[in-house]
Amino acid sequence: VCVCVCVCVCVWVCVFVSVTWKLFGMEGDGRILQRSKRGWMWNQFFLLEEYTGNDHQYVGKLHSNMDKGNGNVRYVLTGDGAGTLFLIDEKSGDIHATKRLDREEKAMYTLNAKVLDRNTNAELEPDTEFNIKIHDINDNAPKFSKEIYFASVPEMSDVGTTVVTITASDADDQTYGNSAKLVYSILQGQPYFSVDSENGTIKTALPGMDREVKEHYQVVIQAKDMAGQMGGLSGTTTVSITLSDVNDSPPRFANHSFRVTTPESTEVGGAIGRIKADDPDVGRNAEMEYSIVGGHDIFNIVTDQKTQEGVIVIKKVLDYETKKDYEFRVEVRNTYLDARFIHGLQFKDYATVRVTVEDVDEPPVFTRNPYVIEVHEDTAAGSFVGVVSARDLDADRKAVKYSIDRHTDLERLFNIDSTNGTITTLKALDREMSKWHNISVVATEINNPGQTTRVPVFIKVLDVNDNAPEFATSYDTFVCENVKAGQLIQTISAVDTDEPQVGHKFVFTISPTNPNFTVVDREDNTANILTRRGGFSRREMSMYFLPVVISDNDYPIQSSTSTLVVRVCACDSRGNMQSCSPEVLPFSEGLTTGALVAILLCVIILLMIVVLFAALRRQRKKEPLIISKEDVRDNVVSYNDEGGGEEDTQAFDIGTLRNPEVMDANKLRRDIIPEMLFPFRRTSPIKDNTDVRDFINGRLQENDSDPTAPPYDSLATYAYEGNGSLAESLSSLESAATEGDHDYDYLSNWGPQFKKLAEMYIGKSPDRET
C-alpha cells in the first residue's frame, strides 16, 4: 500500500509540474480559460483520477474579457456531469470536481461554458466547448480471465514444445506510461516448464517427461505491470498441465504361462478362459490384439475390446475320450504404433496356454441323424421296418435302451425293441392315408435316465397297387332322342390314388353286347362314350345305366366298375338339351288332370273335417258334479265360485276325512308340489261320541296351520261322519220313505256352517209349508 501511495504521489507531482501555469499565477492543476479577441483559449483541462485530496478537487478556471470584476458576469456550465460531477463558481468561474473520478469508467468529459449578464441573463459571449481529460494512474492490477487453466502436452515431448498461451489484461491506459505494460513469469512449475515473459506462452523445459511416472503438473504464472519494475501491480493464475499418452510402452504378460480347464460338454463358440497382458499406456495406445501363433483347429482367441483381455473360445466339439490336453502359444501386440518409439522396442509379447479337458457324462449318440427308412404299404402288423443304433461315448460305455415318443406316434403304428433298436409295425400301413410317418426315437442310459438323446426317424410308405381307378368326377350325361348312331355323348376320365413309378395307364371297357352305347379309348387316360343306335325315346326308357370297367397297368392289375347314368332328353336340331322329364301320359277310362285335382281337394277337405272334430271334442266341457241343487246327496256340497280354477277339483284330498284306521299313511298331497318333505303326521283317532262340529273345527284348524295347504278355495267332500254322533247319520239312504217323519229344527242351532242345510230340510217340512 505504501508503495502504491508513493507511486501515485510521484505521478501527481510530475503531472503538476508538466501543467503550464499561465497568466494569473493560479494555484492548482487547473487552467484558466480566457476569452480573447479570437475566442476562448486553453480549451482542455487535465484531472488526475482517484484524487485523494480535498473532497472538492480544483479543476480549472473560466474567465471572460467581459468580466470586469464588478460581479455583473455570471458563469454557467452545461454538458457531461455539469451540476453533479462538476460545479462552477458563478462569480469567479472556478470549476471543481465533486468526487473521485475513475478513468477506467470514463476518460474524458465534454462541457459547454456560457457567460451571462447577471442582471439581464443576456449572453455576453458565444458558447464554447471544452474537455476535461482524466489522467491515468496505475490503480489496476493485471487480471487473468480464468482462475485456473487446463492444458495438455504429449509425454516425451522435446524441450520448447508449446503447451498453451495465456494472457492477462490491465485496465490502465495502454498509451500512457507503463501502467499497462505486463511482464510474465513462472512462480511454480520449474524446472518442467517455462513461460515467455512478453506473450505468456508456456513451453516444456525438461526432456523425456514420462506420463507413466508423473501425469499432472500445477504451474503458477504471474503477470506484473509497470514493465516488471519495482512497485508495479501483479496478478497470478494456475495452469493444470496433463501429459497426454503416447504409445511408448509395449504390452507385456506378467505371467508367461496360463492353464485353463474346461468340461468336454462346452458348446462350440463358448469361452473357456481369459488371459491378459499389461500395458501402462491408456486409450488407443493400450489397445491390444491377441492371436494364436500358427493358428489352431480346436481353439481360437479373440480380444475383448472393453477389458483388453484375450478370450479363448472353442471352434470344435471337445471329446475327453479322444484327447484330454492341448497346448498352444499366444501372441499379443499393440494395434496402434507410434513411429517415434518403435525403434529398439519389441511391441509384442508371448505366452503359453495349456488346456485340460474334463470328462462329462454325455448322453448317447446315434450313428445317424436323422434316419430315413422305407417300407411298403399293406405290410402286415409286426413286420420289420428298420433299425436305429446309439452308443454311449463315455469311457464306461453304459448300456442304452430305446423307446418311441408316443406324442409323435399317436396312432401307435410302430414299436421298437428297447434293447437293439429294431422298429416294427403294430398296424398295417396305408400310403393313401399317409405317405410319411415322422416319429422320434429316444435313447436313454439305463444307469442314468437323465441322459437321453432324440433322433427323428422319417418312415416313407412305398406304394403298392392296391386301389382300383374310378371316375375322376360325377358325370351328368344325356342323350338326345333324335341322336344318330356313332355320336359322342360324353368324355370320361379316371383317377387312381396309387402312384406307379411309370405313371398311370387306364383302360376303359363296357360290355360288348350293349346295344345302345360303346366306348372308345383315347390312349390318354380318357375315353369317349358313343351311341350305337339312334332314335331314343323317353316314353320307352327315360334313363340308362351304363357300367364302365376301368383298369390300371400296375402290378397286380386293379380294376373297378363305375356306372354312368345317361338320361334321355328332348333336344333341338343343334343337339341342345331342352327337357329331360318324361311326358305325362293320359290316364285310362277318361281320368283327366281336372279329375285328379278334384280328388286331391276332397282329400284335403276330409282331413280338415277330422282335425276340426278332434279339436271340438277336446274342448268339450266336463259334466258338473251336481246337476241340480235339489238333488241333495251324501257328502256333496256344490260351490259356485271355485276361486283357483280347474285345479280346485283336486285341491283337497278326500282321504283326510276317511276313517283314520284305513287311511293311507304314506299318501302325499296331489294338489301342489311341496318345496320340502314334511314328516307324515298321523291324525289322532276320533273319540267316541264326538260332535260333528268339533270334528270339523278340528280338521279346519289342522288344515289352516298346515304349511302345505293350497292358498286358494277348495272343493272338499266329507264322507266320514264320525262314530257315535248325536245327530246320527245325515245320509238319506237309510231314511224313512217320507221326509216328514224327521224334525230338522235342530239344524238351525248348529251355527252358520249348517245354515244352507237347515234351509234345504226345514223348507221342505209339511208343517212349515202349511
Side-chain angles (χ1 to χ4, degrees):
V1 174
C2 294
V3 173
C4 293
V5 173
C6 293
V7 171
C8 293
V9 172
C10 293
V11 173
W12 184 84
V13 172
C14 294
V15 174
F16 181 81
V17 174
S18 64
V19 175
T20 304
W21 292 81
K22 298 289 183 178
L23 297 176
F24 299 98
M26 299 297 295
E27 295 181 355
D29 58 353
R31 294 180 179 182
I32 298 175
L33 188 62
Q34 185 177 6
R35 174 66 177 171
S36 66
K37 294 180 180 180
R38 296 187 301 251
W40 293 94
M41 299 174 60
W42 301 105
N43 62 347
Q44 184 167 270
F45 293 100
F46 295 96
L47 181 65
L48 285 175
E49 67 171 335
E50 300 293 339
Y51 177 73
T52 58
N54 297 327
D55 291 340
H56 288 74
Q57 181 182 3
Y58 178 73
V59 178
K61 183 179 181 66
L62 295 177
H63 185 71
S64 175
N65 291 338
M66 301 299 294
D67 188 1
K68 303 302 182 180
N70 54 7
N72 293 328
V73 176
R74 182 166 65 90
Y75 295 95
V76 178
L77 189 65
T78 61
D80 293 342
T84 56
L85 295 179
F86 302 101
L87 300 177
I88 189 170
D89 192 330
E90 294 181 350
K91 296 180 179 181
S92 63
D94 293 338
I95 301 173
H96 293 83
T98 61
K99 67 176 184 179
R100 300 176 182 179
L101 301 178
D102 189 358
R103 188 200 66 83
E104 285 70 39
E105 293 183 2
K106 192 168 185 178
M108 186 172 62
Y109 297 85
T110 301
L111 297 96
N112 292 321
K114 291 183 179 182
V115 180
L116 304 176
D117 187 289
R118 184 176 295 276
N119 297 321
T120 62
N121 283 334
E123 292 188 3
L124 301 179
E125 296 285 348
D127 292 351
T128 186
E129 182 181 278
F130 66 95
N131 298 325
I132 298 177
K133 186 176 182 181
I134 309 300
H135 267 303
D136 181 52
I137 64 173
N138 189 18
D139 60 342
N140 290 282
K143 292 183 179 179
F144 291 93
S145 60
K146 299 179 182 179
E147 293 183 359
I148 183 169
Y149 291 84
F150 295 93
S152 64
V153 63
E155 63 175 332
M156 299 296 177
S157 297
D158 298 333
V159 176
T161 301
T162 299
V163 179
V164 67
T165 298
I166 58 173
T167 56
S169 59
D170 197 323
D172 293 325
D173 192 355
Q174 302 286 338
T175 62
Y176 181 77
N178 294 327
S179 296
K181 187 175 182 179
L182 305 181
V183 174
Y184 299 93
S185 61
I186 184 169
L187 301 182
Q188 177 182 330
Q190 296 174 337
Y192 305 104
F193 301 95
S194 63
V195 64
D196 191 310
S197 60
E198 294 183 359
N199 55 28
T201 300
I202 301 175
K203 301 179 180 180
T204 59
L206 191 67
M209 288 189 293
D210 192 355
R211 186 198 65 83
E212 287 75 29
V213 176
K214 186 176 182 181
E215 184 176 5
H216 301 286
Y217 296 87
Q218 298 291 332
V219 179
V220 179
I221 302 298
Q222 181 190 63
K224 190 174 184 181
D225 59 10
M226 298 299 291
Q229 299 176 4
M230 184 69 69
L233 303 178
S234 63
T236 60
T237 187
T238 301
V239 182
S240 178
I241 301 176
T242 301
L243 296 182
S244 59
D245 185 60
V246 297
N247 193 11
D248 60 339
S249 300
R252 291 289 181 264
F253 284 110
N255 185 4
H256 288 78
S257 179
F258 295 89
R259 181 174 293 277
V260 179
T261 302
T262 181
E264 62 174 335
S265 59
T266 304
E267 297 180 355
V268 174
I272 63 173
R274 291 172 175 255
I275 62 175
K276 191 176 188 308
D278 298 326
D279 192 333
D281 296 322
V282 294
R284 69 171 187 172
N285 296 320
E287 292 180 0
M288 294 173 282
E289 182 180 8
Y290 297 86
S291 62
I292 297 178
V293 178
H296 203 280
D297 57 348
I298 302 297
F299 302 99
N300 190 21
I301 187 168
V302 295
T303 305
D304 188 335
Q305 298 298 332
K306 293 183 178 179
T307 62
Q308 296 301 314
E309 293 177 318
V311 182
I312 302 174
V313 296
I314 298 176
K315 294 169 57 178
K316 294 183 180 180
V317 177
L318 300 176
D319 188 5
Y320 172 83
E321 289 72 26
T322 303
K323 190 173 182 179
K324 304 178 183 178
D325 298 304
Y326 297 89
E327 181 178 328
F328 50 87
R329 198 176 183 205
V330 175
E331 177 187 87
V332 61
R333 62 172 63 207
N334 284 129
T335 57
Y336 172 76
L337 299 178
D338 194 331
R340 296 176 298 171
F341 304 104
I342 60 176
H343 302 290
L345 288 177
Q346 196 76 3
F347 279 81
K348 57 184 177 180
D349 199 8
Y350 299 92
T352 301
V353 178
R354 294 178 176 84
V355 179
T356 300
V357 180
E358 296 179 339
D359 187 25
V360 174
D361 188 7
E362 298 174 294
V365 177
F366 284 92
T367 56
R368 292 162 54 191
N369 190 359
Y371 286 86
V372 179
I373 302 175
E374 295 181 349
V375 60
H376 285 86
E377 67 174 329
D378 296 335
T379 302
S383 300
F384 173 81
V385 175
V387 178
V388 297
S389 178
R391 61 189 182 91
D392 185 12
L393 300 181
D394 296 326
D396 49 3
R397 305 293 181 184
K398 298 177 182 177
V400 176
K401 65 177 181 180
Y402 303 92
S403 62
I404 295 178
D405 185 355
R406 290 304 173 184
H407 292 90
T408 61
D409 184 25
L410 298 177
E411 298 179 358
R412 302 186 69 87
L413 299 176
F414 303 97
N415 189 28
I416 189 171
D417 191 300
S418 61
T419 57
N420 56 26
T422 300
I423 301 175
T424 56
T425 58
L426 290 175
K427 299 178 182 178
L429 305 179
D430 187 0
R431 192 200 65 85
E432 284 69 39
M433 295 295 295
S434 180
K435 299 179 182 179
W436 287 88
H437 296 278
N438 304 330
I439 64 174
S440 293
V441 175
V442 181
T444 306
E445 290 185 6
I446 296 178
N447 296 335
N448 187 3
Q451 296 293 340
T452 62
T453 304
R454 293 173 175 266
V455 67
V457 179
F458 304 113
I459 301 175
K460 181 180 181 181
V461 182
L462 301 178
D463 185 43
V464 174
N465 192 27
D466 57 349
N467 291 279
E470 56 187 10
F471 278 154
T473 184
S474 178
Y475 296 101
D476 184 13
T477 307
F478 69 93
V479 62
C480 296
E481 289 182 317
N482 56 356
V483 71
K484 298 179 181 180
Q487 187 169 345
L488 174 65
I489 63 171
Q490 183 69 58
T491 299
I492 59 176
S493 62
V495 293
D496 192 343
T497 55
D498 294 322
E499 291 184 358
Q501 297 180 355
V502 296
H504 290 294
K505 176 60 179 176
F506 301 126
V507 177
F508 302 87
T509 59
I510 63 175
S511 174
T513 60
N514 192 309
N516 301 310
F517 305 98
T518 185
V519 64
V520 177
D521 197 333
R522 301 177 59 182
E523 302 297 331
D524 59 353
N525 291 335
T526 62
N528 293 334
I529 304 298
L530 305 178
T531 59
R532 278 190 171 181
R533 66 180 180 87
F536 289 87
S537 176
R538 287 178 293 169
R539 293 184 179 182
E540 296 178 359
M541 183 173 292
S542 62
M543 191 176 299
Y544 292 89
F545 298 94
L546 180 62
V548 180
V549 178
I550 309 173
S551 304
D552 57 20
N553 63 335
D554 204 357
Y555 179 82
I557 295 177
Q558 298 288 340
S559 63
S560 66
T561 301
S562 299
T563 301
L564 183 67
V565 180
V566 182
R567 295 180 298 158
V568 180
C569 301
C571 303
D572 57 14
S573 59
R574 296 182 180 181
N576 298 322
M577 180 181 65
Q578 292 180 339
S579 174
C580 293
S581 59
E583 295 182 352
V584 179
L585 301 177
F587 289 93
S588 60
E589 298 179 355
L591 191 59
T592 62
T593 304
L596 291 176
V597 173
I599 294 174
L600 181 61
L601 289 176
C602 292
V603 172
I604 294 175
I605 293 172
L606 182 61
L607 291 176
M608 292 178 62
I609 293 173
V610 172
V611 173
L612 182 61
F613 177 77
L616 292 175
R617 186 175 183 181
R618 182 173 298 178
Q619 294 180 357
R620 187 176 60 184
K621 296 182 179 180
K622 297 180 179 180
E623 294 182 356
L625 232 106
I626 302 298
I627 303 300
S628 173
K629 294 182 180 179
E630 300 299 329
D631 187 8
V632 179
R633 303 185 182 184
D634 312 347
N635 64 5
V636 176
V637 178
S638 177
Y639 293 91
N640 291 331
D641 184 10
E642 295 180 354
E646 293 181 1
E647 292 181 357
D648 284 348
T649 58
Q650 295 181 357
F652 194 87
D653 189 3
I654 195 172
T656 57
L657 292 178
R658 299 294 181 184
N659 193 327
E661 282 77 11
V662 297
M663 184 172 56
D664 186 6
N666 296 325
K667 188 172 184 180
L668 300 177
R669 293 183 62 89
R670 297 174 298 166
D671 54 324
I672 62 172
I673 299 176
E675 296 180 355
M676 60 180 293
L677 296 176
F678 292 87
F680 175 75
R681 179 169 52 87
R682 184 179 181 90
T683 306
S684 59
I686 301 175
K687 299 179 180 180
D688 294 338
N689 301 324
T690 301
D691 189 69
V692 174
R693 180 167 53 186
D694 296 336
F695 168 76
I696 294 176
N697 289 334
R699 285 289 186 269
L700 180 62
Q701 291 179 1
E702 290 178 1
N703 283 276
D704 289 341
S705 61
D706 187 4
T708 62
Y712 40 78
D713 295 337
S714 303
L715 174 64
T717 58
Y718 300 90
Y720 180 60
E721 298 177 354
N723 296 328
S725 174
L726 296 177
E728 298 179 354
S729 175
L730 297 180
S731 174
S732 61
L733 298 178
E734 299 177 0
S735 301
T738 61
E739 296 179 357
D741 299 338
H742 299 279
D743 186 8
Y744 300 101
D745 291 338
Y746 64 90
L747 296 176
S748 300
N749 299 325
W750 285 12
Q753 295 91 339
F754 295 89
K755 180 179 179 180
K756 184 68 177 177
L757 187 63
E759 291 176 358
M760 294 171 59
Y761 282 89
I762 296 176
K764 292 183 178 182
S765 174
D767 297 336
R768 293 188 180 277
E769 290 179 355
T770 303

